[in-house]
Amino acid sequence: MEQWPMVKSGFQKEKEFDASSSSSKDEFTIALSGNANVGKSVIFNQLTGSNQIVGNWPGKTVEKAQGKLYFQGQKIHVIDLPGIYSFSTFSMEEIVSREYIAYEKPDVVINVLDASVLERNLFFTLQLMEMEVPLVVCINQVDIARQKGIIIDEKKLEKALGVPVVSTVAVRGEGLRKLIEKAVKAAENPENVPEIIKYGGEVEKRIQNLSEMIESKKISLKYSNRWMAIKILENDPEIIKNIKNESPDIISYANQLAYQIEKIHQEPSFAVMASERYTLANFIASGAQVQTKIDIPFSERLDKILTHPVLGYFTSALVIIGLLLWTFTIGDFLEGILSNAFSFFQPVDPQFSGAITAILWNGAFGGIVAGVTLIIPFVIPFYLMLSYIENSGLLTRVAFMMDSFMHKIGLHGKALIPLILGYGCNVPAIDSTRILETRRERLLAAFAITFAPCAARTILILGLVAIFVNIWWALALYVLDLIIIVIMGRLALKATPGESTGLIMEMHTLKLPSFSVILKQTWARTKSLIYLVFPIYIVGSALIQAFYAMGVLEPVSNFMAPLTVGWLGLPAFAGVLLIVGAVRKEFILLTLVSFVGTDLTLALNTTQFIVLAIVGMLYLPCFSTIAILIKEFGWKAASLITGANFTTALVVGGLFAHILPYFL
């Protein structure tokens, strides 16, 4: 039997359900919509708890989050739409949001606004009202607004908009019960759509004329006539294409009206429409809010330092270095504990002889241990700190400061977020490139991520170079890797046609994030990693050991000798190391120990330690990374990225093999 969660986190618990309080309709769908970073996801998590499903919208790469709750005898489906700023067709998130509202017709849309930037958020509210859907406005983060001296009068805003308005502090659950009550009431009366808010006379007259013509033609699109009229006047390509297929004369008439608007205002019609909305948003906001005089809060003083033209680069570097130091310090401590615990129960060194079942089991168990000793010690601490930095507002400041640097490889500052994720694990980092606007940018970011030294590569660098050479050479490899990312990014940029988009990112207020939100985000990211990575580690480890026991890998290793011995200057068994390393990079170290024991200086000299670490750091992405590349971009792109990694590793490794002996 399907279980629905009780409402919680700030709600008064329901002791009994009063049948008389239930409506005639006992199941609703609520869509949460609004700009990015307004607390929409916090509200979603508070309402749905752990009862969530996160996937993709059908046929789209945009993430879909849906959950459910049980409130006063009613089942409520909650859909968290992507954070957007308009209903244009500039991004997939905007298309997904407007198509869902128009075609799926949720019973009510809750528009979440940031109380501290009311005017800016109302620009999107007006567009939602144009769609003529049942609407409730949620003014969130009113506590932060008060700290800035901003007080919003709910009643005045409600009167100006003509829709229910509720103030909330979502991180504490304040106002959420009232919000759901208002939403359910609006859902019960779907005919009570927002009143039409009219724009300036010249514009409004032409919107009405075009709306009437669209209505007379009986256009089959499910959007409201007024909304379609506005979109045509704004020159929205998708709406124009769809209407042209049904009634070309509407477009001809719209072009005449748009020309008239442009002639009157001396501006493009889309700019005129945007100006009309901003003017109205300013008028509504100024009438509903009061600005009181207060001292400049600490968060604003800190913000000036974080975005300072000079100091901002130092603070950004400190944030990134702090994230990595936290991850590796905590990770190294936990990894030692977990490795010792698992070795107590079962040896996990590669087993290359004996019964085939023992070989397979040992390989599979090794995959389990490898997964656990990566995800728990390295990935979870990384995601915890990343979620804190992200929800506090620090990460957007870092992305803003790094924007000019990222443009050198065809990306903007926002791409820094998945690139930093890549230092924990490439798989979720590539998955998170969905925050970027175009496939080209996602592909360039994914390409750069595959060169980022993830936790597994870090173990290899530390185990080979930091221990057996010195820590300075280990740090030098990280600098080398960063240089390679820039160089390969530049080459990929020249090979990939298209233009880079500008950085559009909401700089929400610095704040202490909710610990519960951090935990939920960390679990959601870790869970998706477990589902993808663990099966590949387990199966891949078992197959590698089975292939070696059957004598398959040794001939391959001998075949690779001209490359590994001749060009890279490594021992003959290095071919096997690179083969097993394709499953997981630290398997190179694990297999090497099984061959020669813990004193690796018996098998490798200083140059070979460094060269093996360079090749292991750069060559073939692990099986899990290749799998996510295929899933997100297809076989062709995955093959090209894999080939580029392999070629770079061999070229750089070979050059160091021939140059280092002169310096060491």
Side-chain angles (χ1 to χ4, degrees), residues 458-607:
T458 293
I459 292 171
L460 182 65
I461 294 169
L462 296 178
L464 290 176
V465 180
I467 293 176
F468 293 101
V469 184
N470 59 56
I471 189 65
W472 301 111
W473 265 107
L475 292 173
L477 292 191
Y478 277 98
V479 175
L480 173 66
D481 185 81
L482 185 61
I483 294 170
I484 289 171
I485 288 175
V486 174
I487 293 172
M488 296 306 295
R490 292 289 297 173
L491 293 175
L493 176 62
K494 292 183 180 298
T496 309
E499 295 184 2
S500 299
T501 60
L503 175 63
I504 302 176
M505 182 181 291
E506 179 80 13
M507 284 282 212
H508 65 285
T509 307
L510 291 169
K511 61 185 177 182
L512 288 174
S514 163
F515 187 64
S516 64
V517 171
I518 290 174
L519 289 179
K520 287 170 184 174
Q521 283 188 353
T522 301
W523 169 239
R525 287 168 170 164
T526 306
K527 181 172 63 174
S528 62
L529 179 63
I530 290 171
Y531 291 160
L532 180 63
V533 171
F534 260 78
I536 293 173
Y537 279 171
I538 294 167
V539 175
S541 301
L543 288 177
I544 287 291
Q545 293 202 31
F547 287 156
Y548 192 85
M550 292 186 292
V552 175
L553 296 186
E554 190 170 358
V556 177
S557 180
N558 293 334
F559 175 77
M560 294 169 62
L563 184 65
T564 54
V565 179
W567 172 243
L568 297 174
L570 297 172
F573 59 76
V576 174
L577 302 182
L578 297 182
I579 292 170
V580 298
V583 178
R584 179 172 156 83
K585 293 299 176 285
E586 71 269 36
F587 279 12
I588 293 174
L589 184 61
L590 190 62
T591 307
L592 181 59
V593 170
S594 73
F595 283 170
V596 302
T598 55
D599 187 2
L600 302 184
T601 57
L602 298 175
L604 301 173
N605 59 38
T606 301
T607 298

